[in-house]
Amino acid sequence: MIEGLKPYPEYKESGSKWLGSVPVNWEVRNLRTLISKRAERNRPELPLLSVAREKGVFVRSMTDSDENHNVIPDDLTNYKVARAGNLVINKMKAWQGSMGIAPCDGIVSPAYFVFDFRIANHAFGQRLLRSKPYVAHFGQASDGVRVGQWDLSIPGMRQIPVLVPPPAEQAAIVRFLDHANRKIDGFIRAKRKLIGLLNEQKQAIIQTAISKVSTPDCRTMPVRAVLRPVKRMGHPTKTLLSLFRDYGVIPKDSRQNKNVNVRDLALCQLVNPGDVVMNKMKAWQGSIAVSGLEGIVSPDYMVLEFQIKTLVKDFFHYALRSPSMVANYRQQAYGVRPGQWRLMYPDFCRLKLPVPSIQEQQSILDQIRSKTQSLNTAIARTEREIALMQEYRTRLTADLVTGKLDVREAAAKLPDPPAEAVVEHLTDDSLEESESEDADT
């Protein structure tokens, strides 16, 4: 994709240790010379916009539970107006890259910054400010008591050096990146489809193994006889964990996720190894697992401990996540809309679990592990390929918007994009499409 690309013929020092040398014909201007603060309000009829690290500024869905972490007030007259092309910054998350260009007229939280952004090509400006070197710049311009609550300093932000290539070069860089991103997205979609197929095979193996114990000889017990809910709070120093449908209970910071951080960790629940963790809003999708880790999880999760000590707990990790049990969760969950269906303990505890003998539990567990080992290896390898491609995307974007590589000639030779081409590439967040994480925090 970058074969044949070379550096610019001549460079100059940018004055920034993060940016280093830049093409000699590019301007280096302080951000304050390119932005003007906007203060327009009282337009509650406009679409509600939000800003996220993973995808910039977008029209917020009022029905997607994965986007509705924050309560929307009834009175939106105090929300700020962002016009199409304005720069919108979440000042508490700017150090993570939570900013972007408004795609249309809309309104944003009063806590956001909104600026007119005077740059020839807004698509270039968005890619520049959201690139890895600029995230570092915004991090330097942010401060606070602790990292998770850093606030963007206006004086510091205004001094950030902005690279301004000639307009034709801005357009060439955007054209090349759009072309590259379409190819990268095609690769990622194919790999995600493969992961989906491999996970389907795993589920079929698990269901077949679990169904063997659902015979007249095997006793069944109501969940309440096997598991009881516990609520242990006040352990803010423990590792923060999260629950993913496809991965179980893992450290929250071990994967990219789109959900807000828990503000008061003292309210989180302690989880011991061997406890069952359930996301009540996502149980109907299979978001339940036996934890192998100690740590704390969202206050809105359900944590349960085994009442029967002589059990092979890892067997029940698969039993509770089997397709037949997940189908039962769907029947028992309820709510205003499917994306927010909740499975509560009084309904969950009535469900029946197969409880074979200890020997059979271990035998079935060994079968599942043996038959899924190669699938797990293939999934891990494919995920690594996706991660490497995302890293390549990040590096390529940074190299182009900061002038490390010259794409003017290459961009001129590119074919016109297909009419249905999507301008914005798949975000890091869209890699988690197959996962279900904590939407309750």
Side-chain angles (χ1 to χ4, degrees):
M1 201 175 301
I2 62 173
E3 294 82 0
L5 295 184
K6 298 178 180 179
Y8 279 76
E10 191 175 356
Y11 286 86
K12 65 183 178 183
E13 285 302 314
S14 67
S16 164
K17 67 178 181 180
W18 282 279
L19 301 177
S21 300
V22 298
V24 70
N25 64 325
W26 288 22
E27 286 188 81
V28 183
R29 300 174 58 179
N30 286 343
L31 184 57
R32 61 182 170 80
T33 67
L34 297 171
I35 60 174
S36 300
K37 197 171 183 178
R38 289 184 54 88
E40 184 182 358
R41 300 175 190 260
N42 198 26
R43 292 296 305 273
E45 76 281 2
L46 291 175
L48 184 60
L49 305 178
S50 192
V51 61
R53 175 188 61 201
E54 298 86 3
K55 53 185 176 180
V57 183
F58 58 97
V59 178
R60 182 169 176 175
S61 169
M62 304 303 289
T63 59
D64 186 349
S65 65
D66 288 338
E67 290 182 9
N68 291 328
H69 303 305
N70 300 315
V71 176
I72 302 171
D74 294 330
D75 183 4
L76 298 175
T77 56
N78 193 42
Y79 269 48
K80 294 179 180 178
V81 175
R83 297 295 178 181
N86 283 171
L87 173 63
V88 182
I89 302 176
N90 179 341
K91 62 180 181 178
M92 287 189 66
K93 297 293 183 181
W95 59 277
Q96 294 180 339
S98 189
M99 67 189 72
I101 303 298
C104 61
D105 290 355
I107 54 175
V108 299
S109 165
Y112 290 169
F113 290 147
V114 180
F115 300 98
D116 284 321
F117 189 24
R118 295 180 294 277
I119 195 164
N121 191 306
H122 283 108
F124 170 81
Q126 169 149 295
R127 285 164 175 77
L128 178 73
L129 296 184
R130 288 171 51 79
S131 67
K132 190 172 183 178
Y134 273 85
V135 171
H137 266 300
F138 280 95
Q140 186 191 34
S142 302
D143 52 50
V145 177
R146 57 176 180 264
V147 175
Q149 293 186 343
W150 277 357
D151 212 349
L152 181 61
S153 159
I154 289 288
M157 178 191 72
R158 288 165 62 85
Q159 299 303 314
I160 291 176
V162 177
L163 299 179
V164 185
E169 289 187 43
Q170 294 181 35
I173 290 169
V174 170
R175 180 179 175 85
F176 190 92
L177 283 175
D178 284 348
H179 176 79
N181 283 325
R182 283 192 293 272
K183 289 185 173 296
I184 291 171
D185 290 344
F187 174 88
I188 291 174
R189 287 191 185 96
K191 293 299 180 179
R192 277 206 312 237
K193 184 176 181 180
L194 174 60
I195 289 174
L197 293 172
L198 292 171
N199 275 319
E200 286 180 10
Q201 291 183 48
K202 280 180 59 178
Q203 289 303 308
I205 290 171
I206 293 168
Q207 182 57 41
T208 299
I210 297 298
S211 65
K212 290 179 181 178
V213 303
S214 301
T215 65
D217 303 347
C218 172
R219 61 173 175 158
T220 61
M221 300 177 67
V223 168
R224 64 175 173 271
V226 180
L227 297 166
R228 66 179 178 187
V230 291
K231 198 90 169 177
R232 320 178 193 100
M233 298 183 292
H235 301 272
T237 62
K238 298 288 186 180
T239 302
L240 185 59
L241 306 175
S242 196
L243 173 62
F244 286 83
R245 180 183 63 215
D246 293 336
Y247 302 96
V249 180
I250 59 176
K252 188 176 178 70
D253 61 3
S254 66
R255 299 191 68 83
Q256 292 284 344
N257 63 72
K258 57 194 168 187
N259 299 303
V260 296
N261 292 322
V262 181
R263 292 189 179 276
D264 187 354
L265 296 180
L267 297 177
C268 288
Q269 303 178 76
L270 178 66
V271 174
N272 292 321
D275 285 347
V276 172
V277 181
M278 177 200 289
N279 181 337
K280 291 176 289 189
M281 283 183 64
K282 299 291 185 179
W284 61 278
Q285 294 180 345
S287 194
I288 183 171
V290 173
S291 177
L293 303 172
E294 180 188 63
I296 53 175
V297 297
S298 164
D300 276 336
Y301 279 173
M302 188 188 302
V303 179
L304 308 105
E305 64 178 8
F306 283 90
Q307 298 196 75
I308 304 172
K309 303 305 179 184
T310 55
L311 292 175
V312 180
K313 294 179 180 179
D314 285 351
F315 163 82
F316 289 94
H317 172 80
Y318 292 107
L320 289 164
R321 292 159 60 87
S322 67
S324 57
M325 285 299 295
V326 172
N328 289 333
Y329 305 155
R330 288 195 189 98
Q331 292 179 352
Q332 295 299 321
Y334 60 90
V336 177
R337 51 180 177 266
Q340 293 186 339
W341 283 349
R342 286 178 178 267
L343 178 62
M344 306 306 290
Y345 183 72
D347 301 300
F348 175 59
C349 75
R350 290 195 294 267
L351 297 176
K352 296 294 184 66
L353 268 175
V355 184
S357 67
I358 295 292
Q359 293 75 14
E360 192 174 0
Q361 290 175 37
Q362 188 62 56
S363 174
I364 292 170
L365 176 61
D366 292 342
Q367 290 176 38
I368 291 174
R369 286 175 170 171
S370 173
K371 292 181 179 180
T372 60
Q373 183 177 3
S374 62
L375 296 174
N376 288 332
T377 300
I379 289 171
R381 182 176 62 248
T382 307
E383 287 178 335
R384 181 57 182 161
E385 291 173 353
I386 291 174
L388 289 172
M389 188 59 75
Q390 286 287 12
E391 291 174 11
Y392 171 79
R393 189 207 302 272
T394 298
R395 186 173 64 252
L396 177 65
T397 300
D399 285 349
L400 298 194
V401 298
T402 59
K404 300 298 183 288
L405 294 172
D406 185 351
V407 297
R408 289 173 293 182
E409 185 178 342
K413 296 178 180 178
L414 292 175
D416 290 334
E420 70 277 9
V422 178
V423 174
E424 286 300 320
H425 63 75
L426 294 176
T427 63
D428 290 341
D429 177 62
S430 25
L431 291 179
E432 312 301 331
E433 246 180 29
S434 66
E435 302 176 8
S436 174
E437 206 252 346
D438 52 322
D440 291 4
T441 53

